[in-house]
């Protein structure tokens, strides 16, 4: 997918989202609750991704951006019998 196609798709999704928000005050309670559940799911996934990426980055790098070589994994080899 080209960058233009991706931007067009994102614009379409954004327009649908704004249209849904505009219609929300007139919607029935079931539709409002389902919209809130979907929105909560999306926000939860994004927050968990941010937490996972920050934990991964923290374990690989120290605070000043240099890699932490003390936490290197050591390969264990079987002993000869």
């Amino acid at each position: 997918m080209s960058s233009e196609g991706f931007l067009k798709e994102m614009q379409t999704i954004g327009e649908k989202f704004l249209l849904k928000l505009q219609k929300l005050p007139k919607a029935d309670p079931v539709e409002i609750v389902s919209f809130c559940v979907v929105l909560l799911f999306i926000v939860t996934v994004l927050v968990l991704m941010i937490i996972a990426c920050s934990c991964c980055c923290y374990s690989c790098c120290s605070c000043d951006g240099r890699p932490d070589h003390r936490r290197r994994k050591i390969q264990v080899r079987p002993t000869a019998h």
Side-chain angles (χ1 to χ4, degrees):
M1 177 180 266
S2 67
S3 62
E4 287 181 15
F6 179 73
L7 290 175
K8 182 73 173 166
E9 188 69 28
M10 291 303 292
Q11 182 180 5
T12 304
I13 291 171
E15 288 172 357
K16 287 180 183 179
F17 182 72
L18 286 176
L19 184 64
K20 187 64 123 172
L21 282 177
Q22 289 172 350
K23 291 181 179 179
L24 203 58
K26 299 174 219 158
D28 56 331
V30 173
E31 191 173 355
I32 293 172
V33 170
S34 63
F35 182 76
C36 289
V37 167
V38 169
L39 194 62
L40 181 66
F41 175 76
I42 292 170
V43 168
T44 304
V45 168
L46 290 175
V47 168
L48 289 175
M49 284 178 54
I50 290 170
I51 290 171
C53 290
S54 65
C55 289
C56 180
C57 187
Y58 180 75
S59 69
C60 293
C61 305
S62 59
C63 293
D64 58 359
R66 291 180 295 162
D68 187 9
H69 296 292
R70 292 176 290 159
R71 296 193 57 153
R72 263 190 300 196
K73 292 183 179 178
I74 299 171
Q75 224 175 12
V76 177
R77 295 184 182 170
T79 59
H81 292 283

